[in-house]
Amino acid sequence: MGRNWMLEDDAISFDEEKDATIRRMRDLLAVRMKDAAKRHRHSLGVARTAASLALVYDVDVFSAYAAGLIHDWDKVIPDDEMLARALRYHIPIEGDPAQASPLLHGPVAARELVELFGELPSEVFQAVARHTLAAPDMTPLDMVVFVADGIEPNRHGAYAEHQRDLVGDVTLEELFLTSFIGGISYVLDTRRYLYPGTVSIYNDYMTKKG
Ligand SMILES: [Fe+2]
Ligand SMILES: [Fe+2]
């Protein structure tokens, strides 16, 4: 399908109410990330990429864009504070808690963003929660946001290029699995800590595939 699936920002608009929500989200995001220009650019890139993927794979474009905008909302929080919040919200943590903290910004943000953006459909918060770790039962929206995180325009390298080329030519689940398994390969290749929950999710998908 090439790269023509990527929408330009001015091609993404909704009805009046949704546009107002998006404007408010963008304004608050700019404040939240005022000292993190790169992360801010990344968030806008994920929103645009998620919206574009949503159009290709027949997923709700507004939910995809909204989830992309706020998926890294809590990435600005230091590790020990993240862990404290995860414990407070009873978010399950497997293995070594210190190693898990980079994965917690998804589920922690999902709990907190409901208060700030209560007008959004609950699917948006689930997609935010699942963008770090994934889940055994990813919905199309969850998959769109997960994939967009890895292939937004500020992501460079052969891996992101390859993933972008697959858009529209493979199913959304295949695109997600390529991204999810690519992430695991990277962890193994660079000899980093592999979160135990990731292994269960991987096995779950491989069992389903038969
Ligand atoms: Fe993230
Ligand atoms: Fe991200």
Side-chain angles (χ1 to χ4, degrees), residues 78-85 101:
D79 280 359
D80 50 351
E81 171 63 18
M82 186 75 75
L83 212 48
R85 290 190 195 190
S101 50

Side-chain angles (χ1 to χ4, degrees), residues 73-91:
W73 188 265
D74 271 348
K75 213 168 173 178
V76 295
I77 296 174
D79 280 359
D80 50 351
E81 171 63 18
M82 186 75 75
L83 212 48
R85 290 190 195 190
L87 293 171
R88 197 188 315 149
Y89 303 142
H90 305 287
I91 291 167

Side-chain angles (χ1 to χ4, degrees), residues 71-72 75 105 131-132 149:
H71 79 286
D72 274 346
K75 213 168 173 178
H105 68 275
H131 91 270
T132 46
D149 195 18

